[in-house]
Amino acid sequence: MQNIEQLILKIKKNDKNVRFVDIVKLCEHYFGKARQCGSSHMVFKTPWQGDPRVNIQNKKGKAKAYQVRQILKAISRLKDETN
């Protein structure tokens, strides 16, 4: 099992081939449980409004690359704001 920092490094190297379960793990670690997951999207609450949004979709077991980039940006912003 990978720890969160190792997972982030792995995803930063290749954001186009990320397993959906890995991105869910990251989102739940940083943003808590999804506030919406009944539709095709899982939406996570952030402490700010607007972009970067934390909204993901499962596409045949993989996360969409543009959503992975949004999540990495949101994690970076969250870390910046808490430091």
Side-chain angles (χ1 to χ4, degrees):
M1 179 164 205
Q2 296 176 320
N3 73 30
I4 296 299
E5 292 304 317
Q6 288 174 331
L7 187 56
I8 290 173
L9 290 174
K10 178 182 166 187
I11 289 171
K12 283 182 178 179
K13 288 180 184 177
N14 183 8
D15 63 7
K16 292 174 180 50
N17 193 23
V18 179
R19 295 181 330 151
F20 185 74
V21 294
D22 289 339
I23 209 71
V24 170
K25 180 180 174 181
L26 265 183
C27 289
E28 287 180 346
H29 176 79
Y30 284 102
F31 305 105
K33 292 288 184 189
R35 66 179 173 91
Q36 176 188 335
C37 58
S39 66
S40 62
H41 293 255
M42 289 182 78
V43 180
F44 294 84
K45 184 165 176 47
T46 58
W48 59 82
Q49 291 200 348
D51 291 331
R53 292 183 171 90
V54 180
N55 173 11
I56 57 176
Q57 287 175 279
N58 187 348
K59 184 180 178 188
K60 298 181 183 176
K62 302 289 183 186
K64 293 187 174 186
Y66 79 94
Q67 292 173 339
V68 172
R69 288 188 295 275
Q70 287 175 337
I71 290 164
L72 291 174
K73 190 181 222 182
I75 290 170
S76 177
R77 180 174 174 182
L78 186 66
K79 286 181 176 181
D80 288 346
E81 289 181 2
T82 57
N83 287 336

